[in-house]
């Protein structure tokens, strides 16, 4: 709702987990909704494979279509709210985690939403996060309603959230958590306004870059699937080879299923396959119980060779083609909704701050502090109105900034490049030092509004 800046069919927002369905929010010429059963038979939509989850799921699945510009670039899957306790798990009627896993394999970004007041990760939420295993690079975490607590509480809330996530997501890396208040109402607590703005900008940039990288991600998925298919072929052909031709098939099948971890180790050594490419043992054992091993195919070395050739040669040329195409095409970004307001006018990130301060003012921004800078300047014994590099260095190193930074400041401040600073150039150098000490980045080249008045080129007379 925050990203689209308009309501969509089937939307319900409340403090409790209100959404009881999976809603695919997609672009359409007119506003409307399509129920799940009709959706999975539509050849134009990518949901046909969801029919295997049955009616219990399809009755809780729908597509909301609306003519919103944001949805021209991205589609959003809104999942049901997750409750703690046993009731929610029993009453669903379909395998919630399996559905999440199906979506997780196909989406570009997974956003986990947490509330600053309810940080506990329930059993079901924990199971849901575990179903995203293998998709860790897609996960981002949003800590919402952060304006409802003060700075001290927010710090504790953030720490508690990271601790809870660390127990569920078994990776040594820390997940990226975006802190903010993602709704269009006034902030209750404005102490952390700047933090919320910076975090929202980062999240928007992350979402906006998705269409641009879509082709590379599809290629990445293709490589992943090719590797898995190859391993699958080795496992299936091994099971086929071990089966007796006439008697004792059932007993041999049971023995092979129980020996699956050993078979994995054997194949790993024989074909030099990484352990991470094998499917989960328990899940594979469950699936094999219902299979007839005699109907499995033998290994076809030519097909394996073709896959290896594709991974070794074809993918590299495909990758360079994609890179070439991306450089020739205009940058694709998400537009509309909340994305259009992010950089508008004076509310763009960093506007009026750091080196951008005074950009839209007639007076030179350094002038207000120049009297104080002049006092220091005249203690450095200027000759003919200028101080040497040695004298300037003595004063500039008192800022305790590293030489690499001070060197850049010198380069920006010495407008005429004569190796000396006049009073205006010295004031500019002090202003740039102040910008850096306040935590802002220095500009690559000196912006026109920071050029000292005496060094500005006179305006050419209009022809």
């Amino acid at each position: 709702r925050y990203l689209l800046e308009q309501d969509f069919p089937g939307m319900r927002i409340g403090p409790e987990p209100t959404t009881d369905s999976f809603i695919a929010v997609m672009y359409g010429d007119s506003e409307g909704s399509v129920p799940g059963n009709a959706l999975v038979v539509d050849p134009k939509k990518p949901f046909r494979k969801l029919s295997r989850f049955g009616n219990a799921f399809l009755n809780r699945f729908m597509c909301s279509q609306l003519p919103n510009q944001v949805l021209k670039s991205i589609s959003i899957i809104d999942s049901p709210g997750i409750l703690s306790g046993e009731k929610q798990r029993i009453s669903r009627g379909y395998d919630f985690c399996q559905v999440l896993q199906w979506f997780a394999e196909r989406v570009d970004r997974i956003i986990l939403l947490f509330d600053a007041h309810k940080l506990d990760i329930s059993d079901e939420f924990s199971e849901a996060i575990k179903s995203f295993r293998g998709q860790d690079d897609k996960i981002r975490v949003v800590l919402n309603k952060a304006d409802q607590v003060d700075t001290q509480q927010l710090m504790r809330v953030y720490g508690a959230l990271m601790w809870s996530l660390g127990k569920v997501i078994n990776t040594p890396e820390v997940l990226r958590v975006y802190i903010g208040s993602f709704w269009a109402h006034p902030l209750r607590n404005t102490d952390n306004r700047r933090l919320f703005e910076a975090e929202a900008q980062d999240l928007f940039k992350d979402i906006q870059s998705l269409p641009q990288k879509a082709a590379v991600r599809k290629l990445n998925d293709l490589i992943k699937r090719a590797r898995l298919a190859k391993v699958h072929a080795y496992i299936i052909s091994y099971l086929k080879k071990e089966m007796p031709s006439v008697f004792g098939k059932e007993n041999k099948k049971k023995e092979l299923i129980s020996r699956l971890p050993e078979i994995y180790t054997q194949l790993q050594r024989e074909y030099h396959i990484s352990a991470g490419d094998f499917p989960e043992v328990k899940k594979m054992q469950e699936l094999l119980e219902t299979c007839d091993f005699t109907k499995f195919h033998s290994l076809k070395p030519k097909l394996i060779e073709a896959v290896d050739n594709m991974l070794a040669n074809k993918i590299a040329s495909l990758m360079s083609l994609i890179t070439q195409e991306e450089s020739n095409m205009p940058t694709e970004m998400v537009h509309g909704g909340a994305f259009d307001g992010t950089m508008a006018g004076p509310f763009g990130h960093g506007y009026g701050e750091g080196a951008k301060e005074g950009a839209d003012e007639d007076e030179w921004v350094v002038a207000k502090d120049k009297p104080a800078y002049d006092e220091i300047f005249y203690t450095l014994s200027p000759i003919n109105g200028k101080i040497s590099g040695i004298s300037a260095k003595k004063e500039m190193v008192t800022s305790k900034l590293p030489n690499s930074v001070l060197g850049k400041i010198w380069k920006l401040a010495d407008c005429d490049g004569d190796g000396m600073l006049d009073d205006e150039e010295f004031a500019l150098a002090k202003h740039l030092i102040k910008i850096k000490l306040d935590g802002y980045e220095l500009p690559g080249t000196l912006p026109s509004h920071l050029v000292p008045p005496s060094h500005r080129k006179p305006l050419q007379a209009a022809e």
Side-chain angles (χ1 to χ4, degrees):
R1 173 67 183 79
Y2 177 73
L3 294 177
L4 300 179
E5 291 191 339
Q6 76 174 96
D7 292 355
F8 55 86
M11 183 190 86
R12 279 164 62 219
I13 294 175
E16 77 284 4
T18 47
T19 315
D20 63 347
S21 306
F22 280 88
I23 303 175
V25 189
M26 303 176 82
Y27 183 82
D29 293 329
S30 58
E31 201 170 306
S33 61
V34 183
N37 282 290
L39 202 54
V40 292
V41 294
D42 185 350
K44 291 179 184 174
K45 295 276 189 293
F47 303 119
R48 300 187 82 169
K49 294 276 169 66
L50 282 167
S51 55
R52 68 184 169 98
F53 294 109
N55 271 331
F57 165 70
L58 296 177
N59 291 335
R60 290 267 174 266
F61 180 46
M62 64 178 284
C63 174
S64 282
Q65 292 182 314
L66 61 156
N68 187 296
Q69 202 186 348
V70 174
L71 299 172
K72 281 185 177 179
S73 310
I74 53 171
S75 295
I76 301 165
I77 308 291
D78 183 19
S79 67
I82 293 177
L83 293 176
S84 46
E86 200 62 29
K87 175 186 171 291
Q88 185 82 344
R89 192 182 297 187
I90 293 166
S91 63
R92 284 204 195 273
Y94 60 90
D95 194 330
F96 181 61
C97 289
Q98 281 286 308
V99 175
L100 283 180
Q101 197 174 342
W102 189 92
F103 278 117
E105 285 167 5
R106 288 156 181 82
V107 298
D108 294 317
R109 188 64 75 239
I110 299 164
I111 298 178
L112 305 177
L113 282 155
F114 286 88
D115 197 312
H117 294 293
K118 296 190 276 286
L119 284 180
D120 60 315
I121 299 179
S122 65
D123 294 349
E124 192 182 37
F125 202 176
S126 178
E127 289 298 313
I129 294 171
K130 281 173 187 168
S131 68
F132 299 143
R133 195 157 284 158
Q135 314 290 339
D136 303 332
D137 57 321
K138 297 178 180 179
I139 298 176
R140 303 287 183 273
V141 178
V142 169
L143 178 59
N144 200 9
K145 304 181 189 174
D147 65 319
Q148 297 183 14
V149 292
D150 61 34
T151 308
Q152 190 181 10
Q153 288 171 320
L154 182 61
M155 189 181 74
R156 296 182 193 286
V157 163
Y158 180 78
L161 174 61
M162 295 307 280
W163 183 78
S164 303
L165 284 169
K167 292 206 299 182
V168 180
I169 298 169
N170 299 320
T171 58
E173 294 82 18
V174 178
L175 277 176
R176 176 66 163 99
V177 177
Y178 298 92
I179 303 166
S181 182
F182 295 92
W183 66 345
H185 294 266
L187 299 174
R188 289 200 188 172
N189 195 322
T190 55
D191 294 353
N192 300 306
R193 184 188 184 108
R194 185 171 284 186
L195 169 70
F196 299 158
E197 284 169 2
E199 292 284 280
Q201 286 293 336
D202 286 355
L203 181 59
F204 284 148
K205 274 181 196 163
D206 188 59
I207 296 171
Q208 281 185 308
S209 68
L210 293 177
Q212 211 178 332
K213 296 172 186 167
V216 177
R217 267 193 308 275
K218 281 174 188 164
L219 189 62
N220 189 43
D221 284 345
L222 174 68
I223 298 163
K224 204 189 282 184
R225 286 171 74 91
R227 287 165 69 100
L228 293 174
K230 199 172 117 179
V231 173
H232 192 72
Y234 285 133
I235 297 167
I236 295 301
S237 60
Y238 181 90
L239 296 172
K240 163 80 174 173
K241 191 174 72 180
E242 292 293 305
M243 285 299 282
S245 51
V246 188
F247 301 112
K249 290 179 183 176
E250 205 54 45
N251 289 339
K252 186 67 177 173
K253 177 181 166 179
K254 282 177 184 169
E255 185 212 319
L256 286 169
I257 290 172
S258 65
R259 271 186 52 226
L260 199 61
E262 291 170 43
I263 294 167
Y264 276 14
T265 313
Q266 193 179 327
L267 292 171
Q268 208 177 314
R269 275 200 304 267
E270 194 177 336
Y271 297 106
H272 310 290
I273 305 165
S274 163
D277 285 351
F278 284 91
E280 204 184 320
V281 175
K282 262 190 185 174
K283 194 179 172 188
M284 193 66 173
Q285 285 172 327
E286 283 170 24
L287 292 168
L288 288 171
E289 301 249 326
T290 57
C291 297
D292 182 354
F293 286 14
T294 55
K295 288 182 180 172
F296 286 169
H297 292 280
S298 302
L299 192 68
K300 292 177 180 151
K302 274 193 174 178
L303 290 178
I304 297 290
E305 212 177 291
V307 172
D308 286 338
N309 178 42
M310 180 196 77
L311 291 173
N313 306 314
K314 304 278 175 71
I315 292 293
S317 57
L318 254 179
M319 191 68 213
S320 64
L321 277 172
I322 288 172
T323 314
Q324 204 177 323
E325 197 175 280
E326 278 181 355
S327 61
N328 293 336
M329 284 171 70
T331 308
E332 216 180 319
M333 296 286 266
V334 182
H335 292 289
F339 296 100
D340 280 357
T342 53
M343 302 301 281
F347 299 98
H349 186 53
Y351 188 93
E353 298 170 2
K356 294 177 187 173
E357 187 188 350
D360 49 5
E361 291 173 19
D362 295 331
E363 197 183 340
W364 188 40
V365 69
V366 185
K368 61 179 187 293
D369 296 316
K370 193 169 178 292
Y373 299 148
D374 281 350
E375 279 183 31
I376 302 166
F377 179 77
Y378 288 110
T379 63
L380 299 171
S381 315
I383 300 162
N384 299 328
K386 291 192 173 189
I387 56 168
S388 65
I390 297 165
S391 304
K393 182 184 174 181
K394 280 178 191 168
E395 173 55 34
M396 287 169 75
V397 292
T398 60
S399 65
K400 296 181 183 175
L401 286 170
N403 282 356
S404 56
V405 176
L406 292 174
K408 190 176 180 183
I409 290 170
W410 172 269
K411 212 169 167 185
L412 292 169
D414 186 11
C415 298
D416 51 15
D418 64 352
M420 301 180 89
L421 300 182
D422 61 24
D423 60 329
E424 285 187 346
E425 289 174 325
F426 178 76
L428 174 60
K430 292 293 281 181
H431 180 73
L432 292 169
I433 287 171
K434 181 174 172 284
I435 286 171
K436 192 64 189 171
L437 292 175
D438 286 347
Y440 298 103
E441 286 305 312
L442 293 170
T445 54
L446 194 65
S448 56
H449 70 277
L450 284 181
V451 176
S454 64
H455 291 270
R456 291 178 190 176
K457 288 174 185 171
L459 290 169
Q460 300 279 320
E463 287 179 16

